[in-house]
Amino acid sequence: MSDKQYALFEEQQRARGIDIEKVKNKIKQLKVETPSWGFGDSGTRFKVFEQEGVPRDPFEKFEDAAQVHKFTGSSPSVAIHIPWDKVDDYKALKSHAESLGLSIGAVNPNVFQDDDYKFGSITNADPAVRKKATDHLLECVDIAKEVESKAVSLWFADGTNYPGQADFRKRKNWMQECLQTMYNRLDDDMRMLIEYKFFEPAFYHTDLADWGMAFNMANKLGSKAEVLVDTGHHPQAANIEHIVAYLLDEKRLGGFHFNSRKYADDDLIVAAHNPHEIFLIMQQIVAAEEDKEDPGASRTAANIAYMLDQCHNIEPKIPAMIRSILNVQNLYAKACLVNLEELREAQEKQDVLWAEEVVREAYECDVSPLLKAVREEIGAAVDPMKAYRESGYGEKILSRGKGGASW
Ligand code: PSV
Ligand code: MN
């Protein structure tokens, strides 16, 4: 990218009333966590295609994640999933992460892959199963404390497949009881992120089906509980940016799992098919970040834990993660270019087309000169995809062979 292209971009943005230095700083501050499980083998219920070079243990997962951070400069933490990332010595995993320039991010309990959880975990009618699940949640809080992670991220496969199968209200109360036990174990500076999903693997009902249920649960538990929005977990017509704005206003938006809902869940690259939707979500976040009249909303927005929740089944995993980070940055950068004062004026005048145009204009800006300048300034690769391709790392790890870790 030539200096000329950047100078032209800056001039155009200044003319639109945008403070480009401020925008650059905002982009530099945006960090997106990668999921350890996204580096392992994964698939659909029809087939897991094993890839050559997949990490064989959690330590190697961190080595691959470090490549994503090395080239993007924007993904310094990695979420772990227990027991997929169970190790004897969590301090050793933490030191290994740190030696690679990473930290351990959200700790994700797994209460969906044990035979005991066939009919649910914290909503199971059997108190012994509920206790087993709760003990695992507590174990994960303790692991988070040990690795100095400040977030435990919760998703439950709990639900039913047939009418009459279980008592909805009893399950709701059991869930609250178990989560309260876990909540009470959190330190004051920790938070629990509650994720919802409206179907799968249960298909008649899920116990945390939507943002409203997660929000209600978070409210009942206390201020350390917040809602996590997984972009793949909504019906096709849901207006996710509205949900995001609502949760920001309620100061309960804790985090994101980015992916694409074309698959309905966690497997496709964020914004691969719906960049406009991710842009509109980011626009709500930027508007809250900049809201001087509601400091609570801007604090909440500044505190969002951005994470990818993607498993790449047919494409190589490391560059797929890099692509995902670039997509998120690209759409956040565009969102930063919305002239918020002009938007407010258009909204006050109730000028529908003007307001829509203000938002559209930012979306249609080419932000590549801006992102290249930011990457240069933070010492990341100017073209991270190309730099990774040319680094030889993808070839080097092939010696690991096939049959690495899988979820
Ligand atoms: C469930 O579909 C989910 O989105 C949760 O976040 C899990 O922890 C993750 O996927 C596992 O792949
Ligand atoms: Mn998720």
Side-chain angles (χ1 to χ4, degrees):
M1 179 61 53
S2 72
D3 289 351
K4 250 194 190 156
Q5 276 167 307
Y6 179 70
L8 181 65
F9 173 83
E10 204 179 22
E11 196 186 307
Q12 285 165 346
Q13 295 306 323
R14 208 173 300 120
R16 294 182 59 243
I18 302 296
D19 176 348
I20 216 66
E21 280 312 308
K22 184 174 173 194
V23 170
K24 274 186 175 173
N25 283 332
K26 285 169 79 74
I27 299 169
K28 287 177 193 171
Q29 274 162 31
L30 180 76
K31 304 288 182 234
V32 184
E33 187 161 302
T34 54
S36 71
W37 54 99
F39 295 96
D41 272 328
S42 60
T44 65
R45 64 176 174 276
F46 300 102
K47 171 77 181 158
V48 173
F49 296 104
E50 287 188 344
Q51 291 191 16
E52 232 172 318
V54 155
R56 290 160 292 191
D57 56 43
F59 292 85
E60 287 186 345
K61 291 182 193 171
F62 273 81
E63 283 156 30
D64 288 5
Q67 294 295 308
V68 181
H69 184 45
K70 175 177 168 191
F71 292 106
T72 63
S74 302
S75 53
S77 64
V78 182
I80 57 172
H81 221 295
I82 309 294
W84 298 336
D85 295 313
K86 207 173 178 72
V87 289
D88 294 335
D89 184 350
Y90 286 100
K91 284 268 187 285
L93 188 62
K94 179 176 184 282
S95 309
H96 183 63
E98 284 165 0
S99 74
L100 296 162
L102 300 172
S103 63
I104 298 183
V107 178
N108 291 250
N110 180 324
V111 281
F112 48 87
Q113 277 189 320
D114 194 293
D115 283 341
D116 283 341
Y117 300 138
K118 182 171 171 182
F119 300 121
S121 61
I122 57 172
T123 62
N124 196 300
D126 180 347
V129 176
R130 296 204 297 279
K131 175 160 187 334
K132 173 176 166 163
T134 308
D135 286 346
H136 178 60
L137 301 183
L138 295 173
E139 180 195 357
C140 287
V141 175
D142 293 342
I143 292 171
K145 289 181 187 178
E146 202 178 338
V147 299
E148 289 173 50
S149 162
K150 298 297 170 204
V152 181
S153 192
L154 302 173
W155 173 75
F156 301 95
D158 294 41
T160 60
N161 275 354
Y162 294 99
Q165 185 185 324
D167 184 319
F168 294 152
R169 283 187 293 124
K170 277 195 181 134
R171 288 170 72 100
K172 172 174 175 286
N173 288 296
W174 288 328
M175 173 177 282
Q176 192 186 332
E177 200 179 289
C178 296
L179 290 185
Q180 192 69 59
T181 306
M182 178 198 152
Y183 183 93
N184 296 343
R185 179 80 68 103
L186 296 171
D187 288 341
D188 285 346
D189 61 349
M190 291 176 84
R191 54 178 165 170
M192 67 196 259
L193 304 173
I194 306 175
E195 185 175 350
Y196 55 92
K197 182 175 176 181
F198 76 112
F199 83 115
E200 198 201 36
F203 291 102
Y204 172 59
H205 105 285
T206 57
D207 288 283
L208 281 170
D210 61 26
W211 71 272
M213 294 185 197
F215 173 61
N216 188 44
M217 187 60 78
N219 269 339
K220 288 187 177 210
L221 293 171
S223 59
K224 288 179 262 177
E226 296 171 324
V227 179
L228 183 141
V229 175
D230 183 313
T231 52
H233 290 186
H234 304 80
Q236 296 292 346
N239 182 332
I240 303 178
E241 58 271 25
H242 181 206
I243 297 170
V244 166
Y246 195 102
L247 290 171
L248 280 167
D249 197 65
E250 294 289 337
K251 286 77 186 167
R252 286 288 177 167
L253 179 63
F256 275 97
H257 274 178
F258 287 123
N259 51 57
S260 159
R261 67 177 155 176
K262 265 289 178 208
Y263 183 78
D265 200 7
D266 312 332
D267 296 85
L268 303 182
I269 290 174
V270 54
H273 80 280
N274 58 344
H276 191 240
E277 181 178 45
I278 303 297
F279 161 76
L280 294 174
I281 290 170
M282 290 303 191
Q283 204 273 308
Q284 291 300 330
I285 293 170
V286 173
E289 283 171 351
E290 297 303 316
D291 191 343
K292 306 271 178 302
E293 286 163 24
D294 189 351
S298 46
R299 260 198 309 278
T300 307
N303 217 13
I304 293 172
Y306 296 100
M307 301 176 259
L308 300 176
D309 184 9
Q310 299 176 179
C311 294
H312 304 106
N313 301 339
I314 58 166
E315 63 274 45
K317 291 153 198 297
I318 300 170
M321 289 295 178
I322 295 176
R323 175 81 270 156
S324 307
I325 305 275
L326 303 187
N327 286 357
V328 172
Q329 275 178 333
N330 181 275
L331 296 159
Y332 180 75
K334 285 173 185 276
C336 291
L337 299 183
V338 172
N339 185 325
L340 293 169
E341 273 169 37
E342 196 182 340
L343 181 61
R344 180 198 284 239
E345 203 185 323
Q347 288 173 347
E348 276 166 9
K349 295 205 164 106
Q350 308 205 60
D351 188 326
V352 178
L353 289 181
W354 182 20
E356 196 270 346
E357 201 176 290
V358 174
V359 175
R360 173 189 297 277
E361 195 178 279
Y363 180 65
E364 288 174 352
C365 287
D366 174 9
V367 290
S368 44
L370 171 65
L371 289 172
K372 287 184 176 169
V374 167
R375 286 185 190 122
E376 234 158 42
E377 286 176 27
I378 62 172
V382 171
D383 181 345
M385 291 297 282
K386 184 162 176 275
Y388 174 74
R389 244 190 333 267
E390 290 173 355
S391 72
Y393 187 84
E395 289 75 39
K396 196 184 104 190
I397 53 176
L398 293 180
S399 63
R400 291 173 183 163
K402 276 193 177 184
S406 66
W407 51 220

